[in-house]
Amino acid sequence: MAQAARPVHYGSMSERIVIVGGGAGGLELACKLGRKLGRDAVSLVDQHLFHVWKPSLHEVAAGTLDIHQEGLSYEMLAHDNGFRFIFGAMAGLDTVAREVSVAAVHDETGDVLVPPREVPYDLLVISVGSTSNYFGIAGAAEHTVSLNSPADAERFRMAMLKLLTSAERRRKAGEPDAAVDIVIIGAGATGVELAAELREASVVHSHYGFRQIDPVRDVRITLLEGADRILEPLPERVSIAAATLLGERSVRIETGCRVASITATDVTDAQGRTFPADLVVWAAGIKAPAFLATLGLPTARNGAIEVGPDLRVVGRDRVFALGDCASCPMADGGRVPPRAQAAHQQASFLYKAFVQRKRGEPGAPHDRYVYKDYGSLVSIGTRDSVGNLMGNLFRSTWYVQGLIARLMYASLHLMHHQAVLGTMRTAVLAVARFLVRRATPQVKLH
Ligand SMILES: Cc1cc2nc3c(=O)[nH]c(=O)nc-3n(C[C@H](O)[C@H](O)[C@H](O)COP(=O)(O)OP(=O)(O)OC[C@H]3O[C@@H](n4cnc5c(N)ncnc54)[C@H](O)[C@@H]3O)c2cc1C
């Protein structure tokens, strides 16, 4: 008689997996592992109480996405997906004792909400994303806003509302030139998407009561780019199409413009040209969070943690890193780019590797992460997207624009929702809500 296969008890996993950073990659990993291995095996540490998918932050900044509706509570996700949530920022690491130090959490008045903690781990995954790289440009840190977190995006939104209100009031008071100047530095995907979203948001704002200011003439949006064209890493055809769409939306584009200094009122480039600016967005570069350099782990030039092809930190057996904060080699000698699709793929890779490890199976075929570039899609406002699709699926680069690009753009978000919410049905409903909202744009005014 054939022997029955021995059941695998994933819930009794003795190794505690701790994931630090519940973003595009870390949250997907925590949810998938939690559903598979259970609460005793998986913990997620994050410095915030709720999650917003980072590629949506330009919509939060423009006011077309309301974080109070769209933010997903980590406690709720932990309950639904079977992991433990630990609220606080990672502040230190002891790889000998295998403990992560989590800093105390304070309220606005400085009172301690949660004391500092030491969180023991057997396997640790660091997925804390990235922060702005100002490249030492004078005034950049003091006078610009970046889109690194929901709080940054909210700060931008509130600043813009105040500027619109002030311009409206000054117009009413008879000041004919009252206007708002927004300068975005960096015309990669973040800068381009924000410029287009802001233009649409300013049009919607004008319907809601800013009647003295003209949403196009009086909300002046300027995009500054150091390279010769916008979206430089993407094929030229995508850059040209995006520039045309931005031009139709009256966004001024200056390429070959190297910013030299920034003050509270303007931006100056290396040629001495000055651009008036009430609000400046920094979208010109990222680097790893500074605290990673204090952990005693090997780091690359941009501060990202050096990992091997299996995402294991170089020289450390039980510590892994993924996403923007990991410097991961590719076969051609390059590094995996800091993108949501890379974080998503790396989370899937580690999920399979950890489950295999639990089953006692050897590492192959998941012992080497290979980045698959499926192309890039850039959202140009609520109705348009442009981009290229590529990689194994299509064997060549396809240029896409319009509805197909819009749907493909939404599919990356759909994959994230599916990984996080568990069922395709819930994820489809979440994305359907997202698409309906985009078809009838609203802006948050409070
Ligand atoms: C406006 C915008 C648009 C974008 N559009 C695209 C796009 O269209 N396609 C694409 O591929 N990529 C896009 N990106 C890039 C993409 O968002 C990132 O590459 C991706 O989010 C990286 O995922 P991650 O998991 O590494 O980090 P993140 O998603 O940034 O998550 C990091 C998490 O770590 C937490 N954290 C940070 N420090 C600590 C700490 N000390 N302790 C505890 N928790 C901590 C944060 O709170 C956060 O939850 C865009 C980015 C922006 C800003």
Side-chain angles (χ1 to χ4, degrees):
M1 203 169 80
Q3 228 180 350
R6 271 216 328 239
V8 182
H9 297 290
Y10 295 113
S12 65
M13 179 154 180
S14 54
E15 287 187 314
R16 292 153 304 179
I17 302 173
V18 173
I19 300 158
V20 182
L27 180 60
E28 291 189 10
L29 182 61
C31 290
K32 289 169 83 172
L33 283 175
R35 292 197 292 272
K36 191 79 170 174
L37 307 175
R39 220 178 131 72
D40 293 335
V42 185
S43 299
L44 174 70
V45 180
D46 201 285
Q47 59 190 353
H48 296 122
L49 281 173
F50 64 91
H51 164 77
V52 175
W53 193 54
K54 198 170 182 181
S56 304
L57 287 184
H58 63 286
E59 297 163 49
V60 176
T64 48
L65 187 84
D66 182 348
I67 46 172
H68 299 109
Q69 279 178 359
E70 296 300 318
L72 295 171
S73 148
Y74 284 118
E75 287 291 10
M76 179 205 80
L77 291 169
H79 171 271
D80 292 353
N81 290 283
F83 62 86
R84 196 185 304 273
F85 174 59
I86 298 167
F87 178 33
M90 177 180 185
L93 173 65
D94 184 338
T95 50
V96 178
R98 288 193 212 146
E99 279 180 347
V100 171
S101 303
V102 177
V105 181
H106 298 90
D107 68 11
E108 314 77 61
T109 64
D111 285 347
V112 174
L113 280 181
V114 192
R117 286 134 294 158
E118 301 299 328
V119 180
Y121 68 85
D122 294 300
L123 297 174
L124 173 65
V125 181
I126 303 178
S127 48
V128 292
S130 53
T131 185
S132 300
N133 190 349
Y134 300 115
F135 304 106
I137 290 174
E142 299 82 353
H143 300 297
T144 69
V145 181
S146 300
L147 300 185
N148 292 321
S149 69
D152 292 335
E154 271 292 283
R155 202 151 55 89
F156 175 91
R157 189 181 70 80
M158 290 309 294
M160 193 178 70
L161 272 180
K162 283 185 197 158
L163 286 168
L164 289 171
T165 307
S166 162
E168 174 82 4
R169 186 182 46 75
R170 286 184 286 134
R171 277 273 160 146
K172 265 191 195 147
E175 203 181 306
D177 298 331
V180 178
D181 282 297
I182 300 172
V183 173
I184 301 170
I185 302 173
T190 303
V192 166
E193 291 185 341
L194 179 65
E197 199 80 20
L198 281 178
R199 171 59 71 223
E200 293 196 3
S202 63
V203 173
V204 181
H205 273 121
S206 69
H207 300 321
Y208 286 151
F210 292 111
R211 295 205 173 79
Q212 304 294 320
I213 46 175
D214 182 284
V216 176
R217 187 197 56 209
D218 301 328
V219 181
R220 298 184 289 242
I221 303 171
T222 305
L223 192 51
L224 305 181
E225 169 56 51
D228 291 341
R229 60 185 173 91
I230 65 168
L231 298 172
E232 207 227 1
L234 303 188
E236 195 163 4
R237 191 173 171 194
V238 178
S239 304
I240 293 169
T244 306
L245 289 168
L246 289 176
E248 287 166 7
R249 287 159 174 79
S250 302
V251 173
R252 175 182 171 195
I253 299 172
E254 292 289 340
T255 53
C257 173
R258 303 211 162 264
V259 170
S261 65
I262 303 162
T263 67
T265 53
D266 46 49
V267 175
T268 304
D269 75 359
Q271 298 169 42
R273 290 182 299 172
T274 295
F275 303 90
D278 298 304
L279 197 48
V280 186
V281 180
W282 184 264
I286 58 165
K287 63 177 183 181
F291 83 95
L292 292 180
T294 67
L295 302 181
L297 302 176
T299 52
R301 225 157 49 98
N302 65 352
I305 302 171
E306 297 267 19
V307 298
D310 60 354
L311 304 186
R312 205 182 294 261
V313 175
V314 172
R316 301 290 189 283
D317 204 29
R318 292 174 173 273
V319 186
F320 298 76
L322 65 78
D324 285 7
C325 74
S327 175
C328 178
M330 295 198 291
D332 66 1
R335 300 270 133 185
V336 173
R339 299 176 59 189
Q341 61 171 310
H344 168 79
Q345 290 171 19
Q346 291 176 335
S348 302
F349 171 87
L350 276 188
Y351 168 72
K352 285 181 191 143
F354 287 175
V355 169
Q356 270 188 328
R357 183 184 169 106
K358 166 65 193 159
R359 287 180 178 146
E361 292 170 13
H366 302 299
D367 55 354
R368 191 182 175 89
Y369 164 69
V370 178
Y371 173 61
K372 293 192 189 71
D373 186 352
Y374 291 112
S376 298
L377 293 160
V378 181
S379 151
I380 311 282
T382 49
R383 291 188 188 91
D384 254 309
S385 291
V386 290
N388 64 311
L389 301 177
M390 57 195 281
N392 299 342
L393 199 58
F394 296 96
R395 298 229 170 92
S396 60
T397 300
W398 280 19
Y399 170 79
V400 283
Q401 187 174 348
L403 183 64
I404 295 192
R406 180 86 250 143
L407 291 172
M408 300 294 293
Y409 180 83
S411 70
L412 190 59
H413 203 169
L414 175 72
M415 283 192 291
H416 180 65
H417 269 88
Q418 193 202 349
V420 167
L421 299 173
T423 67
M424 194 52 150
R425 190 173 153 270
T426 328
V428 168
L429 282 175
V431 173
R433 266 199 358 252
F434 160 82
L435 287 173
V436 167
R437 203 188 49 240
R438 295 188 74 84
T440 51
Q442 307 255 315
V443 288
K444 192 172 179 230
L445 289 167
H446 51 85

